[in-house]
């Protein structure tokens, strides 16, 4: 594919261009695509780079190339749109060329659009300096997931937090998955036992510790997927982690400039992730919830 305005600077602090962004995505496509395939792709377009204005675009542009799939969605409000579906390397390069720095997707795939195929716990600091708490809480999230028989896959959010994903079979609709995730998050909060460290308090102004966020498990929500670049001055990337890295990880270490070397060194920590989907209904009672 042809990269337009290839030399336009997208990350002034690092001197990285739009061409650098597109080439990064083409180089990591084999690792990013398993997280993108058959998902609705929500475009956030930074046509002038991270220091310029950006806009959201749900509807796939008319006249898009044939290698970019599309999928019609009806919203509860009555509105509808047609999303792009990024299933291949060419489509990934195409959305990057449109200025989509981030790869935002739904938690479900189009085969079961109302049923997510992973559960997400998003560890989101409420204040500066809480990254050590994030790492501490992640250990407890893993402990609870282990007891529930869920596979866990941590990654830096690429911003200030950490995502811990558990692949699940697409059997339950979003409200039920969210209910399960809420109980899981509350169990993590209970075990930490300190609101200055971990909280599930919903009101932002009442939070002090790291928010153990279960609310992302909702219809229409999106996250930056594994290997997604984030619109930060240093071109940071949402990086999958080996578990032994969590205790000392620095999210600033993962950028467009470092990820290729990292993959060459450690491989893909999410390899085979989607072959480990657990069935949630039988696990509700373990969290004190009514069974499914």
């Amino acid at each position: 594919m042809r990269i337009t305005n290839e030399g336009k600077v997208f990350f002034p602090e690092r001197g990285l261009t739009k061409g650098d962004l597109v080439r990064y995505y083409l180089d990591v496509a084999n690792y990013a695509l398993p997280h993108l395939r058959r998902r609705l792709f929500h475009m956030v377009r930074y046509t002038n780079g991270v220091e310029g204005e950006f806009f959201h675009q749900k509807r796939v542009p008319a006249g898009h190339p044939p290698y970019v799939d599309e999928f019609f969605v009806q919203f509860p409000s009555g509105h509808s749109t047609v999303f792009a579906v990024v299933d291949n390397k060419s489509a990934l390069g195409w959305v990057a060329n449109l200025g989509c720095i981030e790869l935002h997707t739904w938690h479900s795939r189009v085969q079961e659009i109302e049923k997510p195929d992973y559960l997400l716990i998003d560890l989101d600091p409420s204040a500066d300096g809480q990254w050590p708490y994030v790492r501490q809480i992640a250990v407890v999230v893993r402990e609870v997931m282990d007891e529930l028989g869920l596979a866990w896959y941590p990654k830096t959010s690429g911003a200030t937090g950490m995502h811990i994903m558990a692949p699940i079979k697409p059997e339950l609709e979003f409200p039920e998955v969210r209910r399960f995730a809420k109980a899981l998050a509350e169990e993590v909060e209970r075990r930490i036992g300190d609101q200055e460290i971990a909280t599930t308090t919903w009101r932002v102004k009442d939070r002090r510790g790291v928010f153990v966020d279960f609310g992302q498990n909702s219809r229409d929500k999106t996250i930056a997927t594994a290997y997604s670049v984030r619109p930060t001055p240093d071109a940071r990337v949402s990086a999958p982690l080996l578990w032994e890295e969590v205790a000392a990880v620095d999210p600033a270490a993962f950028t467009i400039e470092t990820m290729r070397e990292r993959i060459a060194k450690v491989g893909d920590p999410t390899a085979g992730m989607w072959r480990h989907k657990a069935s949630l209904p039988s696990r509700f009672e373990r969290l004190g919830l009514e069974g499914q």
Side-chain angles (χ1 to χ4, degrees):
M1 59 163 288
R2 185 174 69 88
I3 304 174
T4 58
N5 299 314
E6 181 175 356
K8 180 181 283 189
V9 176
F10 263 33
F11 300 90
E13 183 178 292
R14 305 299 303 167
L16 297 171
T17 66
K18 181 180 176 182
D20 293 322
L21 174 72
V22 176
R23 282 187 289 271
Y24 162 79
Y25 277 131
L26 295 177
D27 286 347
V28 304
N30 288 342
Y31 309 102
L33 283 169
H35 304 283
L36 297 172
R37 286 193 179 101
R38 309 316 296 155
R39 296 192 192 277
L40 304 181
F41 188 92
H42 179 110
M43 296 183 181
V44 186
R45 297 179 60 181
Y46 292 79
T47 55
N48 291 302
V50 295
E51 294 186 356
E53 294 185 0
F54 65 90
F55 61 95
H56 293 264
Q57 182 174 349
K58 292 182 179 181
R59 182 173 295 276
V60 63
H64 59 79
Y67 51 74
V68 177
D69 204 355
E70 61 180 42
F71 192 82
F72 173 85
V73 172
Q74 184 85 38
F75 294 101
S77 64
H79 295 294
S80 64
T81 195
V82 178
F83 282 87
V85 179
V86 176
D87 277 343
N88 55 71
K89 186 173 181 178
S90 295
L92 178 54
W94 181 78
V95 295
N97 190 53
L98 288 179
C100 295
I101 291 175
E102 302 174 280
L103 308 178
H104 280 284
T105 62
W106 277 34
H107 304 320
S108 57
R109 302 190 197 247
V110 297
Q111 301 95 313
E112 290 282 1
I113 198 65
E114 301 298 339
K115 299 176 181 178
D117 70 344
Y118 65 87
L119 177 149
L120 175 69
I121 297 297
D122 180 5
L123 304 181
D124 184 14
S126 302
D128 293 338
Q130 292 184 332
W131 182 250
Y133 294 164
V134 169
R135 296 184 300 205
Q136 177 183 346
I137 298 164
V139 173
V140 181
V141 174
R142 175 187 172 176
E143 177 184 280
V144 176
M145 286 187 173
D146 277 344
E147 292 173 11
L148 291 168
L150 301 176
W152 34 259
Y153 291 87
K155 68 182 183 72
T156 62
S157 71
T160 60
M162 184 181 295
H163 296 155
I164 303 178
M165 303 170 67
I168 60 174
K169 294 179 180 179
E171 300 170 306
L172 300 176
E173 295 191 353
F174 282 99
E176 288 302 293
V177 174
R178 185 183 186 278
R179 186 164 71 95
F180 186 94
K182 182 175 185 288
L184 194 160
E186 289 172 343
E187 176 61 16
V188 170
E189 177 188 44
R190 185 190 68 78
R191 293 188 188 192
I192 294 289
D194 186 343
Q195 289 287 309
E196 300 292 335
I197 297 175
T199 183
T200 60
T201 300
W202 194 252
R203 289 178 22 149
V204 175
K205 71 180 186 66
D206 293 335
R207 293 179 201 154
R208 298 189 302 275
V210 172
F211 183 38
V212 186
D213 187 1
F214 54 86
Q216 295 294 330
N217 298 279
S218 303
R219 192 182 193 270
D220 305 353
K221 294 281 189 179
T222 65
I223 62 164
T225 63
Y227 300 102
S228 172
V229 182
R230 302 306 302 272
T232 59
D234 57 354
R236 203 168 292 190
V237 170
S238 179
L241 302 171
L242 301 172
W243 188 259
E244 54 266 30
E245 295 177 304
V246 169
V249 67
D250 177 2
F254 310 115
T255 70
I256 284 179
E257 297 168 288
T258 65
M259 281 301 290
R260 295 174 182 85
E261 182 179 352
R262 170 177 169 76
I263 292 169
K265 182 179 179 181
V266 306
D268 176 18
T270 62
M273 172 177 172
W274 302 108
R275 295 196 298 269
H276 297 284
K277 295 179 181 179
S279 179
L280 276 193
S282 63
R283 291 170 162 83
F284 271 65
E285 292 183 1
R286 300 188 205 177
L287 287 173
L289 301 170
E290 291 185 9
Q292 291 297 297

